[in-house]
Every structure is written in C-alpha cells, then in structure tokens.
C-alpha cells in the first residue's frame, strides 16, 4: 500500500499543475491581459456623481462637465513648453513642478497634470493637442450647485491624496472624492463605479483598437441619487437670519429625527469650491481663523448650554423624587448656597416648577439640583446617577448621526471631578452651576436640538440624520430605532406646560405668534476669551430652544448666537421665525423679521479682534468665574 501511495500522490500533483498551467496560459485571458500590459493602455471612464435633492424633491446639487489634462511623462517628447504654458495660462515653473510630481507618481502611467478645465479652456487645448505628445484629455463631471446655501451640509469633492490611494485600491491618482458633509458620508453611494477600457498599442505606441474587441471593457455606472431630510427653503431662511452673526441653528422633526435645517454662520457659497479656483478659495476660507467659515458650529461648537439645561435639571429632580411640581423654593434675587457664594437671579418670591421654568429662576433650579445630589450619601455616586439621566437625552455623546464631523460635548461624571479634585472632599455646593447649564456641562447645538425634541416627544428620540431616501439603496436601520430616556413619561407634561408659559407670560412673551402654541426656553451663557494672556469676559452667548405646535410637534430646534446677549434678544426671535416659516410657510411677525435681518453683531466681534491676532472665538468651552454665578434672563 505504501509503495502505491507515494507515486499516486506525485502523479495527481503533476496533473493538477499541468491543468493549472493550461488554464492560466490558454484559457484565462484576464491574466494574459495583465501579462501584455505594456502593450495595452488602460483608460478610465469616470461616472457622474448622483444628484442631491431636498426633502420636497427640489434639486440641490447636479453636475457639470469638466476636463482634466493627463500626462504620461515617458511619452512627453519635443514639445514647445512656451506655447503649452501660454495656452493653459500657467508659468514654466508650474510646468516643471507638475512634471516632476507626475514623474514621482509614475513615468509610464498617466496622472493629472492640470485639473478642472472649463469648456473654453478645453476647446483651446483640444485644437492643438496633437502638438503635445504625452498629454491627453479626460472628461469628468464636477458639482453644479443649484442653491447658494448649505455648504456645510453638502461638503465638497476634491482630488484624492496618497493616503487614501494607499488605503483604498478603488482610487487612482487624480480621482475625485467627497470630503465633509453628505459628499463624504455617502461617497460610495454618490460616486458610482468607474468604467475601464483597454486599448491595444503597436510597437510605435499607436492605438490599433480595442483589446479583444472590448471583451474586458467595463461601462461606467452613474452614482445613485439621494434625497436629504433638509428643507431647502427653511435652510435658506435660517442662513439669511444669521447673516452678520456667528453661531448655529439645528432644526429637527421630533417624530423622526430628520434634520430639517443645519445652519452654521458665517458660511459661504458652495460653488466657490468648484473649478480651478477651488484651492485658492479653500485656502482663503481655511486661513480665516476669526470668523472660521469652515467650522460647522451646529455640529462642532461646544457651548455651555445655559438655562435650556434647566429643563433636564427639573426632569431629573422629578424622576429622583426630590420634588414634585408643587414644591416651593423661595427666591431672593438668587440664593446663598455656601459661605460667601451666591447664585444670582432676577426672580423674587416663591417658585414652583411652573413659574420656575417660565421665569428661569436660578434659585429654584440650583436648589433642586442640590437636592438631587444630596439625596445620596456619596457625591460621586449621586453625580453618576444624575449623569446617566442627562445622557439618556443624547447629551455628552456623538449620537451616531450620519455626518462625518462632530463633538461629544460633556456631561460630567465622578471621573470628571476626580480629575478636578484629586484629593476629594467636593460636595454639591462645588458643582451647583451644572444646574443652570454652566459649570462643566457642554453641548453642541445639535445635541440641544435633540434634547428639546426628546421633551416634545415626552421621553424618546430618534437619532438625528440627514438622509431621507437613497435611490436603489437602503437607509441605515438605526435611524428608525427609538431611544427612550430614563425619565418617566408622566413627568414631561408639567415641564411642557412651563415651557409653553415661557411664551405666554415668561421670558419670551414678546415672541408669541397668534395661532401657534410654541414651547421654548431662553438661555444666556457666559463667554470668555484670552486676550494678551489674560482671560477676559466678553458679551454673553444668546441661546434658545423650542418646539411647536405644543399639541402635535412638527419642529424642534436650538439656536446659538455668539455674543448675542440675552436669549430672548437674538436667538429667541430667530427660533420663532424659523418655527413660523416651517409651520405656516410664511411670516406674520414681520417686525421680528425686520429686526433680525437688520441686526449685525460684526461691531461686537470687531471690538475684540482689533486687540489681538489670536482667534478669540476658538474658545467654545465656557466656564463661570468667581464666586458669583448665574445670569439674568430677559
């Protein structure tokens, strides 16, 4: 048996090797194609990117033709570089630099020499292309924006870098890729599939036709269209209201988590990042370290949330059973919470939950917060329980939305205070400023918009998202998962009544709209910058959160206006106008509209930028200073 086994194995192995060689050399033309690659030219055909529409079917982003000049350095011979440079309006130095870059990439493979020629430039070069051996034109498509808003939503497309090429074999030098916004988030959907053509060359490098009659050619597949949740009219209106201001607006549909508007200010026309001027324009935007138009404040700016956070403070206190809606706290223009420490407030007299909300009483919410913490024997345990409640509203986390940028915000825990107080010994009096949305608490506008949407839903939310429909594709199912807070549903009703009273007889009573029951909360957050090495207090940030209608909420939003002052002064009117625009599709409070459209805060911003070359408004993390905390609400 052993004598037969070894010869049998050898015979079988030889047969398998012969069969494999026969397949590779005779049958498998694809490997033959690779072997003959020196005689074959590979030409890529670039597909159109998918179109982008708003929630109502309005076309937002289409395509326009563009042309790239490709170069194969080894084939460039005896050309008139002066004529070439004059034709394309580049210098000889540019020519040399681009040729060197192409040689580094590959002497024998084509790479982009000059990208994004317009029709006129293309026509001029095509007419004389025969003079410039080694150069060829490849047609591509660039974005054609139908609107001048939502640049932060769309993102842009640019050439891939070497890092991307190394990570993803799909991309070659000169390919375009989406960066930021939905162009990045849905790149694989929008980009389509490149086509490939194989052209046969003779020994003189002349094209002699398609290889194998085009057997291996692959047609380009156009990218899929996508529909966003954005309402283009609401987005445009929000950007108009934020002209000459800095901040963000995030509006959500509370029933679905769909993002209705994502406004950052200042912004820019997305079309300036298209064409040969893209690099120059992008550099200009990038270097603006003061206004920071590339900084998406709706997703990235971490602010002290101010008084809107009192909503969470009250709900947690109700859930923990340390108060009910009739619990009374006396306010004497604030309250003393420790020796030499006083939390200021403009209120006076007895406050319960209802008027505590609509008067935005610091004394009331400071007291109920301390009761929540003092309920437990150990402050670290209490803070972690409090933090768990707060985080159930989506605060202190990225939330998982479908945009490529964001910040976590901060809901402090016992670990936070262990770092701040390494020797321990801290109590509720040391962290009471959290009660009114200052202290260590930080939130982004989208997090606060999600928080107020959760209140509108009486205890649940859906992850905010910007995709509504993908032609030929599926939406991530996580956007249909309901997230429930740790707060019982029954506790939301009295809080909502208090938020409605903010409009009827509270801090936003001058912002009412006939026929729309709005629930809202004003907020003012302290704001500091470092000037000349010193920490200087600047004008407060104006904050407002709201939802409407009260009975059947259709929109929930958060508005931040940097250096805007009291919440009811700038942010409140903007929120009210956004609500009426979405619910009614028209504006009746033209007095508010005129005021906001004409309101400029540029003088306020310029007061401080003249004193320093530093970026004053990079400081997004706002903390109270000194022993007196709390802001008056108007």
């Amino acid at each position: 048996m052993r004598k037969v086994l070894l010869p049998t194995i050898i015979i079988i192995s030889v047969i398998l090797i012969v069969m494999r060689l026969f397949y590779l050399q005779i049958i498998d033309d694809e490997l033959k194609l690779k072997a003959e690659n020196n005689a074959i030219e590979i030409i890529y055909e670039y597909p159109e990117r998918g179109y982008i529409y708003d929630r109502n079917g309005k076309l937002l982003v289409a395509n326009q033709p563009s042309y790239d000049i490709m170069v194969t350095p080894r084939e460039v011979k005896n050309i008139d570089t002066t004529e070439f440079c004059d034709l394309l309006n580049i210098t000889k130095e540019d020519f040399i630099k681009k040729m060197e870059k192409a040689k580094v990439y590959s002497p024998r493979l084509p790479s982009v020499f000059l990208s994004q020629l317009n029709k006129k430039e293309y026509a001029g070069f095509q007419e004389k292309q025969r003079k410039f051996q080694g150069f060829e034109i490849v047609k591509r498509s660039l974005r054609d924006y139908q609107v001048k808003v939502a640049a932060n939503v769309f993102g842009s497309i640019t050439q891939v870098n070497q890092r991307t090429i190394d990570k993803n074999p799909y991309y070659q030098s000169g390919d375009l890729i989406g960066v930021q916004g939905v162009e990045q988030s849905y790149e694989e959907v929008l980009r389509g599939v490149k086509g490939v053509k194989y052209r046969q060359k003779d020994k003189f490098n002349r094209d002699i036709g398609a290889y194998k009659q085009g057997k291996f050619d692959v047609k380009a597949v156009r990218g899929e269209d996508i529909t966003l949740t954005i309402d283009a009219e609401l987005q445009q209106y929000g950007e108009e209201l934020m002209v000459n201001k800095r901040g963000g607006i995030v509006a959500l549909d509370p029933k679905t988590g769909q993002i209705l508007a994502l406004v950052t200010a200042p912004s820019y026309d997305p079309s300036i990042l298209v064409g040969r001027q893209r690099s120059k324009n992008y550099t200009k935007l990038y270097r603006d370290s003061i206004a920071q138009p590339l900084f998406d404040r709706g997703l990235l700016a971490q602010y002290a949330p101010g008084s809107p956070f009192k909503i969470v403070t009250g709900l947690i206190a109700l859930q923990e059973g340390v108060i009910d809606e009739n619990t009374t706290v006396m306010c004497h223009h604030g309250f003393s919470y420790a020796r030499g420490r006083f939390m200021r407030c403009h209120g006076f007299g007895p406050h319960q939950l209802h008027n505590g909300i609509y008067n935005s009483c610091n004394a009331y919410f400071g007291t109920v917060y301390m009761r929540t913490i003092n309920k437990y024997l150990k402050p670290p345990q209490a803070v972690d329980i409090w933090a768990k409640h707060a985080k159930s509203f989506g605060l202190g986390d990225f939330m998982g939305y479908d945009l490529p940028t964001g910040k976590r915000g901060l809901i402090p825990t016992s670990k936070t205070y262990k770092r701040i107080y390494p020797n321990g010994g801290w109590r509720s009096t040391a962290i009471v400023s959290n009660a009114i949305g200052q202290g260590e608490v930080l939130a982004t506008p989208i997090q606060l918009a999600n928080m107020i949407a959760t209140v509108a839903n009486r205890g649940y939310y859906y992850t905010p998202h910007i995709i509504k429909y993908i032609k030929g594709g599926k939406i991530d199912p996580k956007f249909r998962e309901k997230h429930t807070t740790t707060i019982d549903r029954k506790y939301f009703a009295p809080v909502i009544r208090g938020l409605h009273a903010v409009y009827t007889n509270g801090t936003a009573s001058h912002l009412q709209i006939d026929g729309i029951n709005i629930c809202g909360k004003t907020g003012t957050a302290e704001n500091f910058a470092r000037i000349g090495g010193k920490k200087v207090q600047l004008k407060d940030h104006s904050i407002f959160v709201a939802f409407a209608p009260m009975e059947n909420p259709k929109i929930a939003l958060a508005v931040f206006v940097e250096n805007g002052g009291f919440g009811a002064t700038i942010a409140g009117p903007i929120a009210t106008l956004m609500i009426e625009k979405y619910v009614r599709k028209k504006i009746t409070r033209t007095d508010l509209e005129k005021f906001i459209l004409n309101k400029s805060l540029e003088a306020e911003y310029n007061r401080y930028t003249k004193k320093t070359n530093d970026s004053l408004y990079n400081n997004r993390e706002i903390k109270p200073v000194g022993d007196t905390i709390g802001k008056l609400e108007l």
Side-chain angles (χ1 to χ4, degrees), residues 195-207:
V196 183
K197 292 182 179 179
Y198 299 94
R199 305 293 299 179
Q200 198 164 5
K201 298 292 188 74
D202 64 12
K203 63 181 181 179
F204 299 108
N205 202 35
R206 293 176 301 197
D207 191 313

Side-chain angles (χ1 to χ4, degrees), residues 208-426:
I208 57 175
Y211 179 77
K212 294 287 186 181
Q213 290 77 50
K215 177 181 178 180
F216 299 103
D217 293 354
V218 177
K219 289 186 177 181
V221 179
R222 184 181 179 278
E224 299 290 355
D225 297 340
I226 64 173
T227 299
L228 304 183
T229 61
I230 291 291
D231 183 310
E233 288 190 15
L234 187 66
Q235 177 76 24
Q236 180 173 336
Y237 190 58
E239 294 196 19
E240 289 172 358
L241 295 175
M242 290 295 291
V243 169
N244 294 322
K245 307 168 190 71
R246 297 176 189 169
I249 306 172
V250 181
L252 305 174
D253 179 345
K255 291 186 175 65
T256 62
Q258 294 179 358
I259 300 173
L260 303 175
L262 182 62
V263 175
T264 183
S267 189
Y268 57 93
D269 183 343
S271 65
I272 69 172
L273 296 185
V274 176
R276 290 177 64 182
Q277 297 300 311
R278 181 192 188 281
S279 179
K280 178 182 177 182
N281 290 334
Y282 180 85
T283 300
K284 185 177 179 180
L285 294 171
Y286 180 80
R287 289 179 176 174
D288 185 352
S289 61
I290 302 298
Q292 296 180 296
L294 294 176
F295 184 77
D296 191 334
R297 286 163 165 85
L299 304 177
L300 290 168
Q302 298 180 109
Y303 303 93
S307 290
F309 192 77
K310 292 173 181 175
I311 300 168
V312 176
T313 300
L315 286 167
I316 294 174
L318 289 168
Q319 181 67 35
E320 286 295 313
V322 297
I323 63 166
D324 59 33
E325 60 182 294
N326 296 315
T327 299
T328 301
V329 172
M330 292 300 297
C331 177
H332 301 280
H333 298 300
F335 83 114
S336 178
Y337 60 92
R339 180 178 295 180
R341 300 198 173 200
F342 189 78
M343 178 176 281
R344 292 188 293 118
C345 182
H346 62 75
F348 186 82
H351 280 79
Q352 295 82 35
L353 179 66
H354 189 69
N355 66 337
I357 292 173
Y358 73 70
N359 283 331
S360 197
C361 180
N362 289 339
Y364 177 84
F365 287 100
T367 299
V368 302
Y369 175 80
M370 291 179 65
R371 288 185 185 181
T372 301
I373 301 301
N374 294 338
K375 174 184 175 181
Y376 299 90
L377 293 176
K378 297 180 178 180
Q381 177 193 9
V383 166
D384 287 340
I385 291 171
W386 168 83
K388 182 179 179 181
H389 287 309
K391 288 180 178 180
S392 72
F393 287 79
L395 298 166
D397 199 0
F398 292 109
M399 295 191 294
Y401 50 72
D402 54 340
L403 288 161
T405 190
K407 288 286 187 179
R408 185 185 294 276
L410 178 62
I411 295 297
T413 64
S414 60
K415 290 182 179 179
T416 307
Y417 294 111
K418 187 176 181 180
R419 291 193 298 269
I420 297 174
Y421 303 100
N423 297 323
W426 57 275

Side-chain angles (χ1 to χ4, degrees), residues 39-94:
I40 303 297
E41 180 184 12
I42 301 174
I43 301 174
Y44 291 104
E45 182 182 2
Y46 294 93
E48 277 197 80
R49 288 179 79 85
Y51 285 11
I52 300 176
Y53 297 86
D54 90 330
R55 67 185 296 108
N56 300 311
K58 179 179 180 179
L59 179 62
L60 303 176
V61 186
N63 297 308
Q64 57 182 311
S66 176
Y67 307 89
D68 288 354
I69 295 180
M70 310 291 288
V71 63
T72 306
R74 191 176 65 175
E75 298 177 6
V76 177
K77 299 174 182 177
N78 303 320
I79 69 168
D80 185 338
T81 56
T82 300
E83 182 181 8
F84 183 93
C85 292
D86 290 343
L87 186 63
L88 294 173
N89 194 29
I90 62 173
T91 65
K92 285 190 177 182
E93 289 76 15
D94 288 336

Side-chain angles (χ1 to χ4, degrees), residues 42-203:
I42 301 174
I43 301 174
Y44 291 104
E45 182 182 2
Y46 294 93
E48 277 197 80
R49 288 179 79 85
Y51 285 11
I52 300 176
Y53 297 86
D54 90 330
R55 67 185 296 108
N56 300 311
K58 179 179 180 179
L59 179 62
L60 303 176
V61 186
N63 297 308
Q64 57 182 311
S66 176
Y67 307 89
D68 288 354
I69 295 180
M70 310 291 288
V71 63
T72 306
R74 191 176 65 175
E75 298 177 6
V76 177
K77 299 174 182 177
N78 303 320
I79 69 168
D80 185 338
T81 56
T82 300
E83 182 181 8
F84 183 93
C85 292
D86 290 343
L87 186 63
L88 294 173
N89 194 29
I90 62 173
T91 65
K92 285 190 177 182
E93 289 76 15
D94 288 336
F95 178 89
I96 294 170
K97 187 184 298 184
K98 292 177 183 296
M99 284 298 298
E100 290 299 322
K101 183 178 179 181
K103 289 175 183 177
V104 170
Y105 172 72
S106 174
R108 61 185 183 84
L109 294 177
S111 60
V112 175
F113 180 85
L114 196 62
S115 64
Q116 302 182 9
L117 274 68
N118 58 36
K119 289 182 179 180
K120 184 178 180 180
E121 292 169 329
Y122 161 71
F125 184 80
Q126 185 185 43
E127 185 179 344
K128 298 184 178 182
Q129 184 178 351
R130 67 186 183 279
K131 294 184 177 183
F132 308 117
Q133 186 178 346
F135 292 90
E136 60 181 326
I137 296 175
V138 173
K139 183 179 179 180
R140 301 182 192 268
S141 64
L142 295 179
R143 283 315 206 184
D144 184 14
Y145 295 98
Q146 309 299 300
V147 294
K148 295 186 177 183
V149 297
N152 61 311
V153 173
F154 303 140
S156 61
I157 57 173
T158 188
Q159 287 189 27
V160 293
N161 55 35
Q162 190 59 46
R163 187 186 307 169
T164 302
I165 295 171
D166 294 340
K167 287 183 178 179
N168 192 332
Y170 174 86
Y171 297 102
Q172 306 291 328
S173 177
D175 282 4
L176 300 176
I177 190 172
V179 291
Q180 297 301 322
V182 295
E183 295 281 17
Q184 179 175 330
S185 295
Y186 293 96
E187 162 69 9
E188 293 187 9
V189 174
L190 290 167
R191 75 185 180 192
V193 179
K194 282 187 293 189
V196 183
K197 292 182 179 179
Y198 299 94
R199 305 293 299 179
Q200 198 164 5
K201 298 292 188 74
D202 64 12
K203 63 181 181 179

Side-chain angles (χ1 to χ4, degrees), residues 448-487:
L448 275 197
N450 187 71
M451 181 206 77
I452 197 65
T454 305
V455 175
N457 291 333
R458 299 179 184 239
Y460 69 89
Y461 70 89
Y462 293 96
T463 300
H465 55 283
I466 207 160
I467 191 72
K468 185 177 182 183
Y469 174 73
I470 300 174
K471 185 178 180 181
K474 293 183 178 179
I475 305 297
D476 193 325
K478 74 177 182 180
F479 298 133
R480 294 191 294 271
E481 295 176 7
K482 181 185 287 188
H483 303 276
T484 304
T485 69
T486 57
I487 309 300

